[in-house]
Amino acid sequence: MTTIEHGVRIAKLTTIGVGGAARVLARASTLAELREALRFARDEGLPVLPVGLGSNLLAADDGVDAVVLRLEGELAGVDVVETGLVAGGGSTNAVCLHRARDAGLGGFEFACAIPGTAGGGVVMNAGAYGRDWSDVLARALVVTADGEEWMAPDELGLAYRGSALGQDQVVARVEYRLEKRPSAEIKATVAELIAQRKATQPTNKRTFGSVFKNPEGEIGTGRMLELCGLKGHRIGGATISPMHANFIENADGATSADCIALMVEARRRAREQFGVELEREVVFAGLPELPALT
Ligand SMILES: Cc1cc2nc3c(=O)[nH]c(=O)nc-3n(C[C@H](O)[C@H](O)[C@H](O)COP(=O)(O)OP(=O)(O)OC[C@H]3O[C@@H](n4cnc5c(N)ncnc54)[C@H](O)[C@@H]3O)c2cc1C
């Protein structure tokens, strides 16, 4: 049976720790429970909001009128197979990487500093250090209220930090294609990448990862916002990270309104000083789109 709860604060389900109550929180541990939860949402006329680790998610302070869906149990397990891993959509990248390393399977090292799940990785086509999910994904099992289908990367429409999947399409399983690599080499690469991260990004703060996508051109969003003088800029309980200006930290009781006010200001200044219209990377839940730049 799918577990259903009411009134759970989304702040508890996200890395930034912001967001009001979910109308319904459903936890599914098997494919049958997942189908049940999706049919429940359809029958109630509610949208579905799958949440992995909530590491790229900003939810409204007054809550989200949706069935927030978490994948657990069997849908968060990881199996090693000869060609790679078969991971539940709710399995964390940390566990997948650990299992791959122990099995001497390389290729997933780039995900060491991405604190999400297999499902969130597919939907966001998450990436770092020049690699992304499209480089390791063999196929994904996508479930809706009407059925399920294994989809190949080209069918998923993976692009820079996004895919063609809609919110009613839940990634229940992911097959990763990896190559043989000695565990010691994997371990050394991961240690190096994590050290690089710690030196440049606020890995020990509550954030939702990159706020905006990087625009085309030589200068990245972080540097651009730094040159706009935004490092350390604070509104309410939210601060633009003093370490990396494309991160917003929950400094002290931040609200989604605080985070949005910072995003609006960052977009305004980037447009004014660089003529660039920054596009958000973070996913909004229960929130209107950012106002258009005038
Ligand atoms: C400190 C930090 C560093 C980060 N570094 C990086 C980085 O280097 N590169 C990068 O790309 N990202 C980075 N991120 C952002 C984030 O970790 C990734 O986007 C990650 O893939 C999101 O996964 P998640 O499971 O947390 O998804 P969530 O944040 O929970 O959700 C993101 C989107 O995916 C959907 N979703 C989640 N699970 C499923 C599912 N099973 N089926 C269907 N839809 C689903 C949600 O509905 C939402 O639309 C970082 C975040 C933090 C906090």
Side-chain angles (χ1 to χ4, degrees):
M1 274 289 282
T2 317
T3 315
I4 299 279
E5 292 168 71
H6 296 273
V8 174
R9 289 190 62 230
I10 298 180
K12 286 187 173 172
L13 309 176
T14 63
T15 51
I16 182 106
V18 165
R23 167 94 164 262
V24 175
L25 171 65
R27 298 175 190 274
S29 294
T30 61
L31 277 178
E33 287 183 6
L34 173 55
R35 285 186 213 106
E36 189 189 341
L38 292 170
R39 284 196 293 264
F40 167 81
R42 187 179 57 188
D43 295 348
E44 295 289 315
L46 287 169
V48 175
L49 175 67
V51 174
L53 282 192
S55 62
N56 211 2
L57 202 62
L58 181 64
D61 297 321
D62 55 3
V64 176
D65 203 21
V67 174
V68 171
L69 184 62
R70 293 290 300 269
L71 304 184
E72 303 182 341
E74 200 181 298
L75 299 180
V78 183
D79 290 315
V80 176
V81 294
E82 208 178 321
T83 51
L85 301 176
V86 180
S91 61
T92 63
N93 300 337
V95 169
C96 288
L97 181 55
H98 195 86
R99 298 295 306 275
R101 187 199 64 198
D102 285 356
L105 291 166
F108 198 58
E109 295 84 331
F110 75 90
C112 63
I114 306 179
T117 61
V122 172
V123 171
M124 300 306 298
N125 191 24
Y129 312 110
R131 302 202 85 198
D132 60 30
W133 248 243
S134 69
D135 292 309
V136 287
L137 183 69
R139 58 181 192 154
L141 180 66
V142 176
V143 180
T144 64
D146 296 317
E148 61 195 52
E149 184 188 0
W150 281 100
M151 293 174 79
D154 56 333
E155 295 171 294
L156 293 161
L158 303 183
Y160 171 54
R161 299 302 169 264
S163 66
L165 288 175
Q167 280 195 337
D168 59 340
Q169 293 180 290
V170 180
V171 177
R173 281 209 178 100
V174 173
E175 283 184 13
Y176 291 117
R177 191 176 296 124
L178 304 174
E179 318 101 41
K180 297 254 176 266
R181 191 177 186 212
S183 299
E185 281 183 23
I186 297 173
K187 201 171 164 187
T189 302
V190 167
E192 202 179 300
L193 295 179
I194 287 190
Q196 270 183 42
R197 263 305 159 108
K198 284 191 173 155
T200 55
Q201 293 185 9
T203 52
N204 59 349
K205 303 282 183 202
R206 303 205 72 169
T207 73
F208 46 66
S210 295
V211 181
F212 299 105
K213 295 181 183 179
N214 279 318
E216 278 180 21
E218 280 177 17
I219 175 161
T221 304
R223 179 74 183 133
M224 202 179 279
L225 297 179
E226 179 180 350
L227 292 170
C228 290
L230 281 166
K231 272 188 167 178
H233 188 73
R234 178 165 177 157
I235 296 181
T239 306
I240 296 202
S241 171
M243 195 169 190
H244 191 303
N246 197 24
F247 283 74
I248 289 175
E249 296 176 5
N250 182 348
D252 181 18
T255 62
S256 65
D258 298 336
C259 298
I260 284 175
L262 284 176
M263 290 176 76
V264 167
E265 181 60 7
R267 264 166 57 85
R268 188 186 70 73
R269 292 209 206 173
R271 163 75 163 268
E272 206 170 272
Q273 296 191 31
F274 292 92
V276 165
E277 201 156 308
L278 291 176
E279 192 188 329
R280 72 180 158 87
E281 180 169 323
V282 59
V283 175
F284 279 1
L287 289 166
E289 194 40 80
L290 293 168
L293 287 163
T294 47

